[in-house]
C-alpha cells in the first residue's frame, strides 16, 4: 500500500475512532473568534470532529409532598341488637320448657355453702314462727286472764255494785271506819260479813281450793286467793282450773285454815309485765308515802283482816323469808327483826312483837329467779264473829 493510502487509512481510522479526549478539550478551550481552520488539514480534522451528543436524561418527575396523616379515629361500634321487651307477655313468650322445669331447681345436689345457708334459712324461719307463736300466746294469756278474773271480781262484788256502808252494832262506826281505826271487833251475824261469806261460798262452788280474797286499794290487786296441794299447780293454772301462763294468786300449801293460826301467811303471784297479778307491787312499794298509807285487805270465811306493811326487800329465793314454822318466840322475833332490818323502806311508829301476825306477798323481780320482790305486812285490824 502506498504511503498516501496508508496515510488516508490512518485518517479514516482516526475519524472512525473519533477525536481524542485531548483534542476535544483543546477544541473546547479554543477561542470563539477562530471561525475557520488555518489549514486544509485542520479543516478536515475539525470537520471530522463531531461532538457526541450528550445522552438525554429524562427529567425526574416532580414528587408531591406527602400529606400529613389524619388523626386516627376509633371505629364506630357496630349497632348491637335492640333491647328485648321486658314486658310480662314478652318475657312469657320467650320462656322455654326447660326454663320452667322443676320450678327453676336443678336435680344436682347443692354446694356445701348452699346447704348451710338453706339450713340457716329454715332455722330462722323456725325461730320466727316459734317467737310469733309465743308472743301471740302471751298476749292471749293476758287477755284471757283479765277476762277470767274480771268476771270473778264481779261475782265477789255482787255484780259490780258497791257495798253499802255497814254499821257495827253498838257503835257509831262503819266497818271501813273501824278498820281504819284499827283494833278488832266481834260482830255476830253482821250483814257485811254475811255478804262476804256468801260471795266466798259461791266462789268455792266454782273452785273448792278457794281460800279467800285479797285487795290492795290503789293497785290492781283484787283477786281470789286459792290454796292447792302444792306450790306448783297454780303457777300456770287459773282460778277456774284452766291452763293459763299468768296463773293465780295462791297461798302457800302449808297455810293453816284459820288466818290467826298463821304466824307468817305467805301468798304468791306472778310479776306480769302488764302490771296484773302482783306485777305492780314493785312500782307502788318503791314509794315511801304509799308504803306508809297502804293497807292490805284479806277476806276469808273467818272475817276481814287488815294488814299494814312494815318491810319491803329483795331476798334470795332460798333465804327463808317464806318460813311458816318457828321453834319459839325467840326464833320468831329474830325472823321479824331480820325482815325489819333488811327493808329499804322503814315503817314509822311500828314495832312488831311476838304476838304479831304477818302476811307475806312474794313475786319475781323480773330479773331472773334467784331473787324475789317481797312485801311483809303485820295484822293491825280484823272483824270476826
Amino acid at each position: 500500500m502506498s504511503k498516501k493510502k496508508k496515510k488516508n487509512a490512518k485518517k479514516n481510522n482516526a475519524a472512525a475512532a473519533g477525536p481524542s479526549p485531548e483534542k476535544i478539550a483543546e477544541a473546547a478551550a479554543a477561542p470563539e473568534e477562530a471561525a475557520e481552520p488555518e489549514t486544509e488539514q485542520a479543516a478536515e480534522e475539525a470537520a471530522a470532529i463531531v461532538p457526541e451528543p450528550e445522552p438525554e436524561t429524562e427529567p425526574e418527575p416532580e414528587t408531591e409532598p406527602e400529606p400529613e396523616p389524619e388523626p386516627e379515629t376509633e371505629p364506630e361500634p357496630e349497632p348491637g341488637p335492640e333491647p328485648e321487651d321486658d314486658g310480662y307477655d314478652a318475657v312469657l313468650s320467650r320462656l322455654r320448657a326447660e326454663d320452667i322445669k322443676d320450678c327453676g331447681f336443678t336435680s344436682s345436689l347443692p354446694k356445701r355453702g348452699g346447704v348451710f345457708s338453706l339450713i340457716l334459712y329454715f332455722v330462722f324461719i323456725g325461730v320466727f314462727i316459734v317467737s310469733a307463736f309465743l308472743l301471740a300466746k302471751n298476749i292471749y294469756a293476758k287477755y284471757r286472764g283479765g277476762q277470767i278474773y274480771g268476771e270473778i271480781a264481779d261475782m265477789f262484788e255482787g255484780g259490780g255494785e258497791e257495798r253499802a256502808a255497814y254499821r257495827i252494832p253498838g257503835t257509831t262506826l262503819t266497818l271501813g271506819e273501824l278498820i281504819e281505826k284499827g283494833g278488832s271487833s266481834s260482830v255476830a251475824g253482821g250483814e257485811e260479813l254475811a255478804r262476804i261469806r256468801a260471795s266466798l261460798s259461791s266462789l268455792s262452788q266454782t273452785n273448792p281450793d278457794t281460800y279467800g280474797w285479797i285487795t290492795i286499794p290503789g293497785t290492781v290487786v283484787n283477786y281470789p286467793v286459792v290454796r292447792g296441794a302444792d306450790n306448783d299447780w297454780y303457777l300456770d293454772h287459773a282460778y277456774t282450773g284452766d291452763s293459763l301462763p299468768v296463773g293465780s294468786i295462791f297461798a302457800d300449801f302449808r297455810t293453816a285454815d284459820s288466818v290467826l293460826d298463821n304466824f307468817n301467811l305467805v301468798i304468791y303471784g306472778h310479776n306480769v309485765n302488764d302490771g296484773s297479778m302482783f306485777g305492780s307491787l314493785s312500782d307502788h312499794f318503791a314509794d315511801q308515802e304509799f308504803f306508809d298509807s297502804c293497807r292490805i285487805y284479806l277476806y276469808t270465811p273467818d272475817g276481814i283482816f287488815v294488814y299494814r306493811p312494815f318491810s319491803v326487800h329483795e331476798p334470795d329465793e332460798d333465804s327463808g323469808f317464806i318460813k311458816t314454822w318457828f321453834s319459839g318466840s325467840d326464833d320468831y322475833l329474830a325472823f321479824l327483826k331480820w325482815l325489819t332490818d333488811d327493808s329499804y323502806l322503814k315503817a314509822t311508829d311500828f314495832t312488831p312483837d311476838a304476838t304479831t301476825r304477818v302476811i307475806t306477798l312474794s313475786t319475781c323481780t323480773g330479773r331472773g329467779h334467784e331473787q324475789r320482790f317481797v312485801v311483809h305486812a303485820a295484822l293491825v285490824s280484823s272483824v270476826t264473829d
Side-chain angles (χ1 to χ4, degrees):
M1 182 179 291
S2 62
K3 292 181 179 181
K4 189 176 183 178
K5 287 183 181 180
K6 287 181 181 181
K7 186 178 181 179
N8 289 336
K10 287 179 181 181
K11 290 182 180 180
N12 290 336
N13 291 337
S20 64
E22 293 84 0
K23 291 184 177 182
I24 292 173
E26 291 177 0
E32 293 181 0
E33 290 84 3
E36 293 182 358
E38 293 181 358
T39 61
E40 182 180 355
Q41 184 178 354
E44 288 178 357
E45 290 178 357
I49 298 172
V50 179
E52 294 181 358
E54 295 181 1
E56 295 182 1
T57 60
E58 295 182 0
E60 296 181 1
E62 296 183 2
T63 59
E64 297 181 359
E66 296 181 0
E68 296 181 0
E70 297 181 0
E72 295 182 0
T73 57
E74 296 182 359
E76 295 183 2
E78 297 181 1
E82 296 183 359
E84 296 181 347
D85 186 3
D86 58 355
Y88 175 78
D89 293 336
V91 173
L92 190 61
S93 65
R94 292 196 297 271
L95 288 177
R96 299 171 300 174
E98 53 268 26
D99 293 332
I100 59 176
K101 186 177 180 180
D102 297 329
C103 299
F105 291 99
T106 61
S107 58
S108 60
L109 292 175
K111 295 181 179 179
R112 190 171 185 178
V115 172
F116 182 71
S117 299
L118 191 62
I119 292 173
L120 282 181
Y121 172 77
F122 283 111
V123 168
F124 290 147
I125 290 296
V127 170
F128 173 78
I129 293 173
V130 171
S131 300
F133 171 75
L134 293 177
L135 178 62
K137 183 179 179 180
N138 186 36
I139 293 174
Y140 176 75
K142 293 175 184 176
Y143 166 77
R144 181 57 180 158
Q147 190 178 43
I148 290 174
Y149 291 111
E151 293 174 355
I152 297 172
D154 288 343
M155 291 174 58
F156 181 75
E157 297 292 341
E161 298 178 2
E162 185 178 355
R163 290 191 179 97
Y166 174 69
R167 292 198 173 275
I168 306 299
T171 71
T172 58
L173 300 175
T174 66
L175 179 62
E177 291 169 343
L178 177 64
I179 291 173
E180 289 296 328
K181 181 180 177 180
S184 300
S185 174
S186 176
V187 183
E191 293 181 9
E192 181 69 5
L193 284 177
R195 180 177 294 185
I196 290 173
R197 286 169 176 158
S199 296
L200 293 174
S201 177
S202 177
L203 294 178
S204 295
Q205 293 177 12
T206 302
N207 186 349
D209 288 340
T210 300
Y211 185 81
W213 192 277
I214 187 170
T215 298
I216 306 177
T219 74
V220 299
V221 177
N222 189 39
Y223 297 106
V225 179
V226 291
R227 180 187 57 181
D230 53 41
N231 290 336
D232 297 328
W233 173 259
Y234 285 107
L235 283 172
D236 54 7
H237 284 81
Y239 174 84
T240 57
D242 298 331
S243 179
L244 190 69
V246 299
S248 302
I249 302 297
F250 62 97
D252 192 288
F253 75 98
R254 298 167 295 178
T255 302
D257 293 341
S258 175
V259 172
L260 296 177
D261 289 339
N262 295 281
F263 283 89
N264 184 27
L265 197 164
V266 183
I267 298 179
Y268 305 97
H270 280 305
N271 183 358
V272 185
N273 56 18
D274 66 352
S276 61
M277 310 309 281
F278 280 173
S280 64
L281 293 185
S282 59
D283 293 331
H284 291 293
F285 285 99
D287 179 57
Q288 182 72 51
E289 184 177 354
F290 179 86
F291 176 78
D292 291 336
S293 62
C294 176
R295 296 296 182 269
I296 300 171
Y297 295 81
L298 178 65
Y299 303 95
T300 75
D302 287 347
I304 303 170
F305 303 90
V306 185
Y307 297 85
R308 174 188 176 182
F310 70 91
S311 176
V312 179
H313 62 148
E314 295 184 3
D316 293 336
E317 181 184 13
D318 56 356
S319 61
F321 68 94
I322 60 172
K323 186 177 182 180
T324 59
W325 181 86
F326 303 91
S327 60
S329 297
D330 292 341
D331 186 20
Y332 183 57
L333 287 173
F335 174 73
L336 295 178
K337 186 178 186 305
W338 170 59
L339 299 183
T340 304
D341 294 344
D342 201 46
S343 176
Y344 53 76
L345 295 179
K346 303 301 179 182
T348 59
D349 301 328
F350 178 76
T351 303
D353 56 37
T355 63
T356 301
R357 296 293 184 268
V358 176
I359 188 173
T360 295
L361 309 183
S362 174
T363 188
C364 296
T365 61
R367 301 187 300 272
H369 298 284
E370 290 78 17
Q371 289 182 307
R372 295 289 185 267
F373 182 86
V374 184
V375 177
H376 302 278
L379 179 65
V380 293
S381 181
S382 64
V383 178
T384 60
D385 288 343

